[in-house]
Amino acid sequence: MTETFHFEAGSAPLLISIPHLGSLIPEAQQPAMTELALRSGDTDWHLDRLYAFARSMGASFLWARYSRYVVDLNRPPNDESLYPGQAKTGLCPTHTFDGQPLYRDGREAIDVQERDARRDAYWRPYHAQLRAEIDRLRAAHGKVMLWEAHSIASVIPRLFDGKLPDLNIGTSAGASCAPAMEAAIRAQLEACQDYTWAINGRFKGGYITRHYGAPRQDVHAIQLEMCQSTYMEERHPYAWREDDAGRVTPVVERLVRAAFEGM
């Protein structure tokens, strides 16, 4: 484990990345932030626990320790919008997903010097490790699957209408992985009666999926954005729900295994 991220090297050509698992806020940043911000509410809680099954597959793991309220590791380094025309959650956010201010002074932006410092301290190390592990696994196996693990509250009116599907697969409209892998996932979802789902719907894949997915170079990236209501309490203190998690985890495992076998 490093100061800013956790990394485990596996033996199989499979890397589980969880860039929004972190909930820590640097001490120097805390006095300026609201009480709500210090809860790190938009964290992708408990996904290290939910994806623990992938250790039996020989997967590598990489996840953040610091909150996306510090810097969002799944946004472009130049902070351009991933979904033009829709509400933006940027590289260094100033508001929660539902529009509440993160800073006591109500600031609308982080100054350039501070943004660059955070990008250098948190964003660049994560992406350097991500690239290094993708390259290591591809050199060892000839191919690699990057699975981007995410979760989100099921209802956020500022970002989307109504309730999200339970399971949202993103492959950058088919550009980030081999067609057979997306087809294998679709077959699993079509056979699943317990959860709603979408492929390349509201979530087509964030920066990591779009940037690193290169199927012609044998790097296949897939994002799963799942509703937190499928496995946890969506309100503070964001508790894990054992029964619900026990039902959805095997479904997620089947998706990962189907894509991996289709690679």
Side-chain angles (χ1 to χ4, degrees), residues 159-228:
L159 298 183
F160 46 81
D161 296 330
K163 180 187 178 298
L164 280 174
D166 296 317
L167 304 172
N168 299 270
I169 292 290
T171 65
S172 189
S176 67
C177 72
M181 299 171 73
E182 183 177 314
I185 290 173
R186 182 180 294 275
Q188 288 293 324
L189 291 170
E190 289 175 344
C192 178
Q193 303 298 314
D194 298 325
Y195 299 99
T196 57
W197 57 273
I199 297 179
N200 293 311
R202 172 59 179 84
F203 295 96
K204 295 179 173 59
Y207 174 77
I208 292 175
T209 301
R210 302 183 197 194
H211 180 73
Y212 292 96
R216 291 184 179 181
Q217 285 75 52
D218 294 310
V219 178
H220 305 272
I222 299 166
Q223 175 178 296
L224 171 58
E225 184 83 69
M226 57 191 299
C227 283
Q228 292 177 338

Side-chain angles (χ1 to χ4, degrees), residues 3 6 9-10 14 20 43 48 67 82 85 93 95 100 129 142 145 153 159 161 173 180 194 213 230 240 242 253 262:
E3 181 181 353
H6 174 94
L14 172 60
H20 297 148
T43 294
D48 54 333
S67 173
L82 292 172
H95 291 75
Q100 299 301 310
Q129 183 62 58
M145 183 174 96
L159 298 183
D161 296 330
D194 298 325
T230 62
W240 172 269
E242 188 68 40
E253 181 173 359

Side-chain angles (χ1 to χ4, degrees), residues 1-8 15-22 44 47-48 60-68 71-75 91 118-135 146-150 207-209 211-212:
M1 179 183 292
T2 73
E3 181 181 353
T4 62
F5 61 78
H6 174 94
F7 173 67
E8 301 173 35
L15 172 57
I16 308 292
S17 165
I18 319 177
H20 297 148
L21 182 64
D44 295 6
L47 288 185
D48 54 333
S60 298
F61 283 87
L62 176 64
W63 67 67
R65 299 184 64 226
Y66 281 83
S67 173
R68 70 191 304 160
V71 67
D72 192 327
L73 303 176
N74 199 32
R75 295 296 178 269
L91 184 68
R118 293 186 196 180
R119 185 174 55 205
D120 289 345
Y122 303 96
W123 193 97
R124 294 195 188 284
Y126 191 91
H127 283 266
Q129 183 62 58
L130 187 61
R131 171 52 67 193
E133 184 62 3
I134 289 172
D135 291 347
L146 169 63
W147 187 274
E148 270 289 290
H150 294 263
Y207 174 77
I208 292 175
T209 301
H211 180 73
Y212 292 96

Side-chain angles (χ1 to χ4, degrees), residues 8-14 55 57-60 133 136-137 140-141:
E8 301 173 35
S11 57
L14 172 60
R55 288 190 177 88
M57 300 174 65
S60 298
E133 184 62 3
R136 181 186 77 86
L137 294 174
H141 301 279

Side-chain angles (χ1 to χ4, degrees), residues 17 24 30 42 87 90 110 155 165 171 185 187 204 223 232 236 243 247 251:
S17 165
L24 298 178
Q30 291 178 19
D42 294 316
I110 303 300
V155 178
T171 65
I185 290 173
K204 295 179 173 59
Q223 175 178 296
M232 60 169 275
H236 187 265
D243 289 349
R247 285 189 288 271
V251 177

